[in-house]
Amino acid sequence: MKLKSLALTAALVASTLGALLAPSLAQAQAKEQFFPLLVYRTGPYAPNGTPWANGKQDYIKYVNATGGINGVKIAFEECETGYATDKGVECYERLKGRPGVALFDPQATGITFALTDKVPTDKIPLITLGYGLSASQDGSVFKWNFPLMGSYWTAADILIQHIGKKEGGMDKLKGKKIALVYHDSPFGKEPIPLLQERAKQNGFELSLIPVTAPGVEQKSAWLQVRQSRPDYVLLWGWGVMNSTALKEAVATGYPREKMYGVWWAGAEPDVKDVGANAKGYNALALNTSGTQPKVIQDILKQVHDKGQGTGPKDEVGSVLYTRGVIIQMLGVEAVKRAQERFGKGKVMTGEQVRWGMENLALDQKKLDALGFSGVLRPLSTSCQDHMGSSWARVHTWDGAKWGDMSDWYQADEQIIKPMVKTSAEKYAGEKKLTRRDAADCSS
């Protein structure tokens, strides 16, 4: 009995030590920087999710083809989520322990909400470019979330600014009727607090019209639009919901010129099936599209011309493909930034990549050198600001292609900042978190 007890004790000690040492040993053994790729190539969101995923994967192949990240090659693995939160969490749990894991891009606001409580324990950053939790801009509370380039609050604010400009001034919005036709999910509901605040300040009447996901049935929603005849419709859709909404607008006779989509409702898959009937429809643009940018030309040369392209060649440079390229570039630049501090040419841990994400400094000169001239605005993050940039434009579908790009708008910080602070403090209170101090911000 004594020998058996000793053997059990030894086994328990070995198991405990193994569990403690496993992550560090796995990291030490990592020879490649691992980027897990959560995707949805199937289901009603696939037409939008696929070019996004292809752009990300092609940029990884491009970086590897040109020497890696200061010599460190990138490994990747896709995991199909179908845009479902439970499957997204399963993918995260399966891939988070891979050696050299850098970060996660959940590609869905619902999955982001579920992972936000997990990543502080696992010490892996989340990049949620243009989506996710708007309050996570406040990095002093949300240490591991990075809603780079914009949130749904900045998106909604910019749309209202643009409509105000078209009306001749923000004061002209008083008495107008604006309807939000939205995907009835965390994604679709996220802009509502900002729009309610804007309605209060600018005096317009806001009506909320939810659409049950995935959005293939919208008859009742557009019956409400036809009856209330709003001056403008804001479309907060994704996947098949967007083209369905445009077809319903055509059927009900609602002017497409009065419709404004979020930047996830402003790509080729959203309008191509509607074609000329969608002419005049507007949507936010976080980035340009087309094959003119140097980085797109380089991907064609280094990846597609060598038979290594992930998707069809004629998709390269489309709106969502380009956004995938941008997201992957920002992840790679975060690793590079971390290497500047923790060791050039080494595989970075999730904690080190998080520091790199929080200290990004991509000015115009740097973007030009990377081949992104004119594709996006310069971006600079900090402990207090995990967004780094809050600019966007509005582009218009001419019946065959996206064009007629507006000037850049910046979200109004006087409205956004107090909302972010209040919401972040509420989150910190609920989770019993303490705001990061100066020492933690510099760590």
Side-chain angles (χ1 to χ4, degrees):
M1 290 294 290
K2 184 178 284 185
L3 283 174
K4 185 176 181 182
S5 177
L6 284 171
L8 286 172
T9 303
L12 180 62
V13 169
S15 174
T16 304
L17 284 173
L20 289 170
L21 292 173
S24 58
L25 283 174
Q27 198 64 39
Q29 293 167 355
K31 303 297 184 187
E32 298 175 316
Q33 196 75 59
F34 178 65
F35 278 82
L37 302 178
L38 273 56
V39 302
Y40 30 98
R41 295 185 180 275
T42 61
Y45 304 98
N48 298 66
T50 298
W52 183 354
N54 291 345
K56 290 175 64 176
Q57 196 174 133
D58 276 357
Y59 191 76
I60 289 175
K61 292 175 180 176
Y62 164 66
V63 171
N64 280 339
T66 53
I69 308 174
N70 292 318
V72 176
K73 294 290 185 179
I74 304 175
F76 63 89
E77 180 178 328
E78 287 195 349
C79 188
E80 175 71 35
T81 72
Y83 196 65
T85 298
D86 57 345
K87 291 183 179 177
V89 173
E90 287 176 15
C91 287
Y92 171 81
E93 294 293 345
R94 182 165 71 78
L95 297 174
K96 71 179 184 182
R98 290 284 294 272
V101 65
L103 53 83
F104 275 83
D105 169 21
Q107 292 199 186
T109 295
I111 301 172
T112 301
F113 280 26
L115 297 185
T116 293
D117 289 341
K118 291 178 174 291
V119 290
T121 301
D122 296 327
K123 300 189 184 307
I124 303 172
L126 290 180
I127 179 172
T128 61
L129 187 148
Y131 69 92
L133 187 59
S134 299
S136 66
Q137 178 182 359
D138 187 343
S140 64
V141 171
F142 295 90
K143 184 174 180 177
W144 299 89
N145 293 58
F146 292 87
L148 300 174
M149 291 178 61
S151 69
Y152 294 135
W153 289 355
T154 66
D157 186 75
I158 289 170
L159 282 180
I160 297 301
Q161 285 189 50
H162 182 73
I163 291 171
K165 185 177 180 181
K166 284 183 68 69
E167 288 289 335
M170 298 302 286
D171 59 315
K172 302 295 191 300
L173 291 176
K174 187 174 183 179
K176 296 292 183 184
K177 295 194 293 186
I178 298 178
L180 174 68
V181 176
Y182 66 97
H183 193 272
D184 194 8
S185 67
F187 150 62
K189 295 174 182 175
E190 188 68 9
I192 293 174
L194 184 285
L195 291 171
Q196 290 172 330
E197 180 62 27
R198 270 293 192 183
K200 186 170 66 176
Q201 292 195 19
N202 300 116
F204 60 83
E205 177 186 333
L206 175 67
S207 57
L208 304 175
I209 304 177
V211 172
T212 302
V216 292
E217 175 50 59
Q218 300 184 32
K219 295 291 184 188
S220 62
W222 285 90
L223 178 60
Q224 292 182 60
V225 172
R226 187 170 64 184
Q227 291 173 339
S228 60
R229 302 303 296 179
D231 295 289
Y232 296 97
V233 167
L234 306 183
L235 178 59
W236 230 262
W238 183 228
V240 70
M241 175 179 164
N242 295 328
S243 58
T244 304
L246 284 164
K247 291 173 184 173
E248 291 293 343
V250 173
T252 57
Y254 189 82
R256 270 67 76 201
E257 295 81 3
K258 298 286 187 179
M259 293 178 65
Y260 289 85
V262 66
W263 42 61
W264 301 115
E268 292 83 357
D270 304 315
V271 287
K272 67 179 183 181
D273 288 345
V274 192
N277 284 332
K279 184 178 180 180
Y281 168 63
N282 313 279
L284 284 170
L286 270 176
N287 52 271
T288 58
S289 59
T291 57
Q292 300 88 350
K294 183 177 182 301
V295 64
I296 298 298
Q297 289 294 319
D298 288 344
I299 289 173
L300 286 168
K301 180 180 178 182
Q302 297 286 348
V303 181
H304 277 263
D305 288 353
K306 295 181 179 178
Q308 300 298 314
T310 308
K313 191 172 182 178
D314 60 6
E315 169 198 84
V316 176
S318 62
V319 172
L320 291 173
Y321 178 96
T322 302
R323 196 163 303 157
V325 168
I326 292 171
I327 292 170
Q328 201 59 59
M329 176 272 286
L330 292 171
V332 168
E333 291 307 304
V335 174
K336 279 187 194 172
R337 187 77 175 97
Q339 286 184 350
E340 291 175 13
R341 177 172 181 178
F342 301 105
K344 190 174 181 180
K346 294 182 178 179
V347 174
M348 295 289 103
T349 66
E351 286 181 278
Q352 291 167 337
V353 176
R354 193 212 63 78
W355 183 89
M357 296 280 289
E358 192 169 272
N359 290 275
L360 283 172
L362 297 174
D363 59 14
Q364 193 57 57
K365 183 178 179 181
K366 181 71 172 176
L367 291 175
D368 292 346
L370 291 168
F372 285 82
S373 301
V375 178
L376 70 157
R377 298 273 302 199
L379 179 150
S380 178
T381 55
S382 67
C383 177
Q384 289 74 31
D385 179 14
H386 277 198
M387 188 177 292
S389 170
S390 61
W391 295 79
R393 290 183 285 188
V394 176
H395 62 172
T396 303
W397 180 251
D398 70 3
K401 65 181 186 308
W402 287 103
D404 194 23
M405 195 77 83
S406 75
D407 294 335
W408 287 98
Y409 291 90
Q410 185 176 27
D412 189 338
E413 290 188 347
Q414 292 187 347
I415 295 176
I416 303 289
K417 275 191 171 181
M419 291 183 62
V420 168
K421 183 179 179 181
T422 300
S423 185
E425 287 180 348
K426 181 182 178 186
Y427 179 88
E430 291 171 352
K431 303 295 181 182
K432 297 183 171 32
L433 300 175
T434 303
R435 276 190 180 275
R436 299 166 63 195
D437 57 21
D440 191 24
C441 281
S442 61
S443 65

